[in-house]
PDB file of all heavy atoms in Angstrom:
ATOM      1  N   TYR A 149      33.012 145.187-155.310  1.00  0.00           N
ATOM      2  CA  TYR A 149      33.149 146.613-155.074  1.00  0.00           C
ATOM      3  C   TYR A 149      33.065 147.378-156.388  1.00  0.00           C
ATOM      4  O   TYR A 149      33.417 146.792-157.439  1.00  0.00           O
ATOM      5  CB  TYR A 149      34.530 146.894-154.341  1.00  0.00           C
ATOM      6  CG  TYR A 149      34.470 146.523-152.888  1.00  0.00           C
ATOM      7  CD1 TYR A 149      34.482 145.176-152.501  1.00  0.00           C
ATOM      8  CD2 TYR A 149      34.273 147.497-151.936  1.00  0.00           C
ATOM      9  CE1 TYR A 149      34.363 144.811-151.178  1.00  0.00           C
ATOM     10  CE2 TYR A 149      34.167 147.135-150.594  1.00  0.00           C
ATOM     11  CZ  TYR A 149      34.191 145.809-150.223  1.00  0.00           C
ATOM     12  OH  TYR A 149      34.063 145.480-148.886  1.00  0.00           O
ATOM     13  N   PRO A 150      32.597 148.596-156.375  1.00  0.00           N
ATOM     14  CA  PRO A 150      32.410 149.356-157.654  1.00  0.00           C
ATOM     15  C   PRO A 150      33.615 149.254-158.590  1.00  0.00           C
ATOM     16  O   PRO A 150      33.432 149.104-159.848  1.00  0.00           O
ATOM     17  CB  PRO A 150      32.152 150.794-157.149  1.00  0.00           C
ATOM     18  CG  PRO A 150      31.489 150.577-155.843  1.00  0.00           C
ATOM     19  CD  PRO A 150      32.142 149.390-155.183  1.00  0.00           C
ATOM     20  N   ASP A 151      34.823 149.381-158.055  1.00  0.00           N
ATOM     21  CA  ASP A 151      35.989 149.342-158.979  1.00  0.00           C
ATOM     22  C   ASP A 151      36.193 148.033-159.675  1.00  0.00           C
ATOM     23  O   ASP A 151      36.977 147.947-160.643  1.00  0.00           O
ATOM     24  CB  ASP A 151      37.261 149.712-158.152  1.00  0.00           C
ATOM     25  CG  ASP A 151      37.302 151.217-157.887  1.00  0.00           C
ATOM     26  OD1 ASP A 151      36.595 151.936-158.524  1.00  0.00           O
ATOM     27  OD2 ASP A 151      38.094 151.595-157.014  1.00  0.00           O
ATOM     28  N   GLU A 152      35.548 147.021-159.182  1.00  0.00           N
ATOM     29  CA  GLU A 152      35.665 145.685-159.792  1.00  0.00           C
ATOM     30  C   GLU A 152      34.644 145.484-160.960  1.00  0.00           C
ATOM     31  O   GLU A 152      34.591 144.438-161.557  1.00  0.00           O
ATOM     32  CB  GLU A 152      35.480 144.585-158.785  1.00  0.00           C
ATOM     33  CG  GLU A 152      36.546 144.605-157.670  1.00  0.00           C
ATOM     34  CD  GLU A 152      36.207 143.751-156.486  1.00  0.00           C
ATOM     35  OE1 GLU A 152      35.040 143.316-156.338  1.00  0.00           O
ATOM     36  OE2 GLU A 152      37.083 143.568-155.643  1.00  0.00           O
ATOM     37  N   LEU A 153      33.843 146.528-161.183  1.00  0.00           N
ATOM     38  CA  LEU A 153      32.790 146.412-162.184  1.00  0.00           C
ATOM     39  C   LEU A 153      33.083 147.291-163.383  1.00  0.00           C
ATOM     40  O   LEU A 153      33.758 148.341-163.231  1.00  0.00           O
ATOM     41  CB  LEU A 153      31.435 146.840-161.584  1.00  0.00           C
ATOM     42  CG  LEU A 153      31.008 146.074-160.358  1.00  0.00           C
ATOM     43  CD1 LEU A 153      29.807 146.777-159.743  1.00  0.00           C
ATOM     44  CD2 LEU A 153      30.701 144.618-160.674  1.00  0.00           C
ATOM     45  N   SER A 154      32.550 146.899-164.562  1.00  0.00           N
ATOM     46  CA  SER A 154      32.679 147.788-165.726  1.00  0.00           C
ATOM     47  C   SER A 154      31.765 148.983-165.589  1.00  0.00           C
ATOM     48  O   SER A 154      30.906 148.986-164.738  1.00  0.00           O
ATOM     49  CB  SER A 154      32.301 146.954-166.957  1.00  0.00           C
ATOM     50  OG  SER A 154      30.925 146.698-166.939  1.00  0.00           O
ATOM     51  N   GLY A 155      31.980 149.969-166.477  1.00  0.00           N
ATOM     52  CA  GLY A 155      31.157 151.153-166.450  1.00  0.00           C
ATOM     53  C   GLY A 155      29.677 150.789-166.643  1.00  0.00           C
ATOM     54  O   GLY A 155      28.797 151.350-165.935  1.00  0.00           O
ATOM     55  N   GLY A 156      29.402 149.850-167.540  1.00  0.00           N
ATOM     56  CA  GLY A 156      28.021 149.438-167.782  1.00  0.00           C
ATOM     57  C   GLY A 156      27.445 148.772-166.556  1.00  0.00           C
ATOM     58  O   GLY A 156      26.249 148.985-166.193  1.00  0.00           O
ATOM     59  N   GLU A 157      28.218 147.940-165.909  1.00  0.00           N
ATOM     60  CA  GLU A 157      27.725 147.272-164.712  1.00  0.00           C
ATOM     61  C   GLU A 157      27.471 148.294-163.590  1.00  0.00           C
ATOM     62  O   GLU A 157      26.464 148.190-162.862  1.00  0.00           O
ATOM     63  CB  GLU A 157      28.748 146.192-164.231  1.00  0.00           C
ATOM     64  CG  GLU A 157      28.762 145.001-165.093  1.00  0.00           C
ATOM     65  CD  GLU A 157      29.864 143.996-164.855  1.00  0.00           C
ATOM     66  OE1 GLU A 157      30.895 144.391-164.254  1.00  0.00           O
ATOM     67  OE2 GLU A 157      29.762 142.819-165.194  1.00  0.00           O
ATOM     68  N   GLN A 158      28.386 149.239-163.464  1.00  0.00           N
ATOM     69  CA  GLN A 158      28.132 150.259-162.418  1.00  0.00           C
ATOM     70  C   GLN A 158      26.892 151.018-162.685  1.00  0.00           C
ATOM     71  O   GLN A 158      26.131 151.326-161.733  1.00  0.00           O
ATOM     72  CB  GLN A 158      29.331 151.251-162.411  1.00  0.00           C
ATOM     73  CG  GLN A 158      30.588 150.610-161.845  1.00  0.00           C
ATOM     74  CD  GLN A 158      31.731 151.611-161.678  1.00  0.00           C
ATOM     75  OE1 GLN A 158      31.494 152.781-161.472  1.00  0.00           O
ATOM     76  NE2 GLN A 158      32.970 151.106-161.766  1.00  0.00           N
ATOM     77  N   ALA A 159      26.587 151.323-163.931  1.00  0.00           N
ATOM     78  CA  ALA A 159      25.357 152.008-164.264  1.00  0.00           C
ATOM     79  C   ALA A 159      24.136 151.169-163.879  1.00  0.00           C
ATOM     80  O   ALA A 159      23.121 151.695-163.360  1.00  0.00           O
ATOM     81  CB  ALA A 159      25.290 152.344-165.748  1.00  0.00           C
ATOM     82  N   ARG A 160      24.269 149.820-164.146  1.00  0.00           N
ATOM     83  CA  ARG A 160      23.129 148.945-163.742  1.00  0.00           C
ATOM     84  C   ARG A 160      22.975 148.842-162.235  1.00  0.00           C
ATOM     85  O   ARG A 160      21.856 148.725-161.750  1.00  0.00           O
ATOM     86  CB  ARG A 160      23.351 147.565-164.377  1.00  0.00           C
ATOM     87  CG  ARG A 160      22.820 147.590-165.816  1.00  0.00           C
ATOM     88  CD  ARG A 160      23.588 146.677-166.749  1.00  0.00           C
ATOM     89  NE  ARG A 160      23.463 145.281-166.430  1.00  0.00           N
ATOM     90  CZ  ARG A 160      24.310 144.286-166.788  1.00  0.00           C
ATOM     91  NH1 ARG A 160      25.337 144.631-167.560  1.00  0.00           N
ATOM     92  NH2 ARG A 160      24.070 143.056-166.535  1.00  0.00           N
ATOM     93  N   ILE A 161      24.074 148.939-161.512  1.00  0.00           N
ATOM     94  CA  ILE A 161      23.957 148.964-160.031  1.00  0.00           C
ATOM     95  C   ILE A 161      23.264 150.289-159.556  1.00  0.00           C
ATOM     96  O   ILE A 161      22.419 150.249-158.714  1.00  0.00           O
ATOM     97  CB  ILE A 161      25.345 148.875-159.327  1.00  0.00           C
ATOM     98  CG1 ILE A 161      26.047 147.582-159.729  1.00  0.00           C
ATOM     99  CG2 ILE A 161      25.237 149.019-157.846  1.00  0.00           C
ATOM    100  CD1 ILE A 161      25.364 146.288-159.341  1.00  0.00           C
ATOM    101  N   LEU A 162      23.589 151.383-160.252  1.00  0.00           N
ATOM    102  CA  LEU A 162      22.918 152.609-159.912  1.00  0.00           C
ATOM    103  C   LEU A 162      21.418 152.507-160.143  1.00  0.00           C
ATOM    104  O   LEU A 162      20.600 153.012-159.394  1.00  0.00           O
ATOM    105  CB  LEU A 162      23.462 153.799-160.731  1.00  0.00           C
ATOM    106  CG  LEU A 162      24.898 154.285-160.329  1.00  0.00           C
ATOM    107  CD1 LEU A 162      25.310 155.393-161.341  1.00  0.00           C
ATOM    108  CD2 LEU A 162      24.895 154.855-158.927  1.00  0.00           C
ATOM    109  N   LEU A 163      21.069 151.828-161.234  1.00  0.00           N
ATOM    110  CA  LEU A 163      19.698 151.587-161.526  1.00  0.00           C
ATOM    111  C   LEU A 163      19.036 150.698-160.449  1.00  0.00           C
ATOM    112  O   LEU A 163      17.954 150.984-159.960  1.00  0.00           O
ATOM    113  CB  LEU A 163      19.503 150.959-162.929  1.00  0.00           C
ATOM    114  CG  LEU A 163      18.065 150.567-163.331  1.00  0.00           C
ATOM    115  CD1 LEU A 163      17.149 151.757-163.302  1.00  0.00           C
ATOM    116  CD2 LEU A 163      18.060 149.902-164.716  1.00  0.00           C
TER     117      LEU A 163
END
Side-chain angles (χ1 to χ4, degrees):
Y149 282 77
D151 284 345
E152 297 166 348
L153 303 171
S154 69
E157 286 171 336
Q158 288 186 29
R160 275 147 68 197
I161 299 297
L162 287 176
L163 175 60

